[in-house]
Amino acid sequence: MSDYDRDNIFAKILRGEAPCVKVYEDDDTFAFMDIMPQAEGHVLVIPKTEACDMMDLNEEMTQKLIVTVQKIARAVKSAIGCPGVMLTQLNGAAAGQTVFHTHVHIIPRYDGVDLGIHATDMVDPSELEKLAQKIRMKI
Ligand code: AMP
């Protein structure tokens, strides 16, 4: 893998060395609440492999990641009750990526409501846990 840093924050979350508000886990993928959400119910989905970005993922893991993204996006839409769901995925600093373990953002969207600013305001984990509980019930 290209320059994968095993001490990036998502690698630490996967190893249980850093906290997160977990939403879902299977053998190959992991989903958790974004700590600086761009909308209420913002979830991140990551593969359990060392991959800086999507270009580092093999076809099998790409398929597994996208299947989990669809599963969690459905649950977010149902739990949050948002009319729209945006999926975003940034590759490389030039594209705005800030954590170099590949991930897909699942972000609730509403008519006429602007997207919150990327990775700025930290939310209390207890608030994220309430949302995660609602989402887990819909998976
Ligand atoms: P990106 O800029 O696409 O690499 O997105 C990284 C995302 O990770 C941002 O939306 C951050 O808010 C989020 N983030 C950073 N650190 C954490 C963390 N410890 N737990 C949950 N989300 C995080």
Side-chain angles (χ1 to χ4, degrees):
M1 295 302 122
S2 57
D3 299 330
Y4 183 83
D5 173 10
R6 299 198 74 238
D7 285 329
N8 77 74
I9 186 64
F10 294 173
K12 287 182 176 173
I13 287 172
L14 279 176
R15 292 197 297 270
E17 295 168 8
C20 75
V21 177
K22 185 165 118 177
V23 170
Y24 173 82
E25 179 174 15
D26 62 25
D27 287 346
D28 304 294
T29 62
F30 191 91
F32 55 105
M33 302 305 293
D34 193 304
I35 195 93
M36 291 173 273
Q38 288 179 264
E40 197 174 83
H42 182 167
V43 175
L44 299 170
V45 183
I46 63 176
K48 292 182 177 179
T49 50
E50 295 185 356
C52 292
D53 63 26
M54 285 290 276
M55 270 57 81
D56 287 340
L57 277 189
N58 65 28
E59 194 174 308
E60 184 189 5
M61 282 308 298
T62 302
Q63 287 170 353
K64 286 177 170 168
L65 180 65
I66 293 302
V67 167
T68 298
V69 167
Q70 184 190 49
K71 184 196 296 274
I72 305 305
R74 283 178 172 147
V76 167
K77 188 167 193 285
S78 170
I80 303 296
C82 49
V85 176
M86 188 169 86
L87 306 178
T88 59
Q89 201 282 314
L90 310 179
N91 298 282
Q97 185 178 6
T98 58
V99 178
F100 295 93
H101 180 111
T102 193
H103 52 277
V104 178
H105 297 259
I106 298 174
I107 307 175
R109 296 301 305 269
Y110 304 85
D111 290 317
V113 177
D114 287 341
L115 190 62
I117 299 170
H118 180 234
T120 45
D121 295 325
M122 191 97 73
V123 170
D124 190 311
S126 65
E127 292 303 314
L128 297 178
E129 178 56 31
K130 288 180 202 162
L131 293 164
Q133 276 176 18
K134 285 195 208 172
I135 296 166
R136 280 186 222 117
M137 285 172 62
K138 299 291 185 181
I139 296 174

